[in-house]
Amino acid sequence: PSQPSEPELKFIDVNEGDWFYNSVMWAVKNGVTVGTTPTTFEPYTACTRAQMIEFLWNAVGKPAATIKSVPFTDVPGAAWYEDALLWAYEAGIAEANAAGVCAGLAATGKKVYLHTFGTFASRRIYDQIYMSAAYADLPVHVFGSDAGVCAAFNGGTHMPLEDAAMYMAIPHAVVTDPCDYAQLASVTRQTADCDCVTYTRFVRKDIVQVYGDGSVFQLGKGVVLRESNCDAVTVIASGIMVDEALKAGELLEREGISVRVVDMFTWKPLDEELVVKCAAETGAIVTAENHNVTCGLGSAVANCLAKHCPTVQEFVGVQDMFGQVGPQDFLMDEYGLRAANIVAAVRRAIQRK
């Protein structure tokens, strides 16, 4: 039953071990969440799933406390346990059930965040999110980690190359693919005020910092990172491909080819005004995404261009393939997600103009 002191924010994480559950419950009592050893949150190196909850807490303005270790001896039944349950829930290996619980909490007026790996955040829970949350007009905010090839050694079964496509098919949903933690923080704060289902795909480790800490972004508005008066092509990228697009811009500049680079971190609603403007001014578009090109960012941009400004377009991304096991560097090479692939796509686009 609801209690007067119950906080507005709820967070549900789907995980495998009781150690994580106990550590989350203890640390939430103190304002942050960590693993079982003393640590600090270093977002541009690597982070645990517990640290991601700490990030979420900070992003939505919850108070932080001194980060401490959590011994295995902290088990349910401690004095803090019932209070901690007001803040966060561990759902176990039951993602679909977690989605239903989130919908129920949202129906009571809570602001609810659900986090699990991107494959489970999309394929596993899709029916529950579609029917129990979206169809019922309940704002559940889903965060899918290890997007695309960043699942690496977790392999093809855990590699979400279609997660955003599934959420883009949900009416009124907001879908984002932030490129770094500064952008993720800004997106997280804004989703709290969205009155619809939102899906944010992100990477937990080895992210290149593009923006300064504290940067602010507007959902549904792309960011022009590079431009000139003589751009031959516009590269529209998101997520880990933003850094690759910027590298491609530098490589092309050495050849005397100027390109515009746009960070389109919001896939839905797409910034159609910016897409059309870039198409009209540069005459060619290249999209780059850590996602299947079928029904992804490239498809959204192509749909916009077909309606408003038919333009030459090339697609950089996973070309209708399943995932596989391997280090991220290998997978980016294997699936053509490198600056060199963007450079080649730009050259093809120029030839087709």
Side-chain angles (χ1 to χ4, degrees):
S2 178
Q3 301 176 26
S5 61
E6 189 171 356
E8 185 177 23
L9 177 72
K10 288 288 186 182
F11 183 86
I12 293 184
D13 192 272
V14 180
N15 280 283
E16 291 76 19
D18 288 340
W19 73 266
F20 183 90
Y21 183 50
N22 297 331
S23 67
V24 167
M25 292 300 100
W26 180 91
V28 163
K29 175 68 174 180
N30 291 275
V32 296
T33 53
V34 296
T36 56
T37 57
T39 182
T40 57
F41 180 55
E42 299 179 359
Y44 293 102
T45 54
C47 61
T48 66
R49 295 169 80 176
Q51 286 173 308
M52 283 311 304
I53 306 180
E54 174 193 345
F55 168 81
L56 173 64
W57 245 250
N58 293 334
V60 297
K62 291 299 175 184
T66 302
I67 300 175
K68 303 177 181 178
S69 62
V70 183
F72 283 92
T73 53
D74 277 340
V75 297
W80 48 264
Y81 184 74
E82 291 187 7
D83 288 340
L85 286 177
L86 298 177
W87 290 92
Y89 296 135
E90 159 64 44
I93 312 177
E95 294 87 359
N97 180 63
V101 171
C102 285
L105 288 169
T108 69
K110 301 295 183 293
K111 293 184 178 180
V112 189
Y113 288 82
L114 167 62
H115 164 252
T116 185
F117 290 136
T119 47
F120 306 139
S122 53
R123 291 185 234 142
R124 183 69 55 81
I125 68 174
Y126 192 68
D127 186 54
Q128 284 75 20
I129 290 295
Y130 193 103
M131 296 304 300
S132 298
Y135 185 71
D137 200 25
L138 297 173
V140 173
H141 308 300
V142 184
F143 284 72
S145 57
D146 291 357
V149 298
C150 300
F153 288 105
N154 284 330
T157 58
H158 287 58
M159 197 162 289
L161 300 174
E162 68 299 300
D163 54 329
M166 297 177 70
Y167 276 90
M168 288 172 72
I170 297 178
H172 315 302
V174 171
V175 180
T176 63
D177 185 29
C179 70
D180 67 9
Y181 282 102
Q183 196 167 65
L184 176 59
S186 180
V187 167
T188 300
R189 285 190 291 270
Q190 291 179 72
T191 56
D193 296 322
C194 290
D195 58 358
C196 59
V197 165
T198 68
Y199 180 66
T200 302
R201 66 197 311 260
F202 67 95
V203 182
R204 291 187 297 138
K205 56 187 177 182
D206 300 326
I207 296 181
V208 176
Q209 185 170 3
V210 176
Y211 301 104
D213 293 339
S215 298
V216 178
F217 307 87
Q218 182 179 349
L219 286 175
K221 293 295 182 182
V223 181
V224 178
L225 293 174
R226 180 189 180 104
E227 66 177 333
S228 73
N229 294 326
C230 56
D231 294 330
V233 177
T234 298
V235 179
I236 299 177
S238 69
I240 64 172
M241 297 306 292
V242 171
D243 180 57
E244 297 296 321
L246 290 171
K247 291 177 181 176
E250 294 175 359
L251 293 172
L252 289 162
E253 186 176 27
R254 298 172 191 171
E255 302 178 13
I257 300 173
S258 179
V259 299
R260 186 171 304 178
V261 176
V262 173
D263 173 11
M264 193 66 72
F265 69 94
T266 307
W267 290 17
K268 182 183 179 184
L270 185 71
D271 189 349
E272 294 193 346
E273 180 180 356
L274 180 59
V275 170
V276 171
K277 179 177 184 293
C278 290
E281 292 178 353
T282 66
I285 299 289
V286 171
T287 51
E289 58 194 296
N290 174 30
H291 187 276
N292 199 316
V293 295
T294 303
C295 303
L297 174 62
S299 294
V301 170
N303 182 279
C304 171
L305 294 175
K307 291 187 296 183
H308 304 296
C309 185
T311 309
V312 169
Q313 181 178 350
E314 292 287 333
F315 300 77
V316 174
V318 179
Q319 303 294 322
D320 199 25
M321 300 169 68
F322 290 107
Q324 60 180 298
V325 175
Q328 183 175 324
D329 285 343
F330 162 77
L331 294 170
M332 291 182 71
D333 292 336
E334 182 76 3
Y335 290 105
L337 305 179
R338 291 295 192 185
N341 303 107
I342 298 175
V343 168
V346 167
R347 290 173 180 154
R348 293 194 301 270
I350 291 175
Q351 290 176 353
R352 293 176 55 200
K353 290 176 67 173

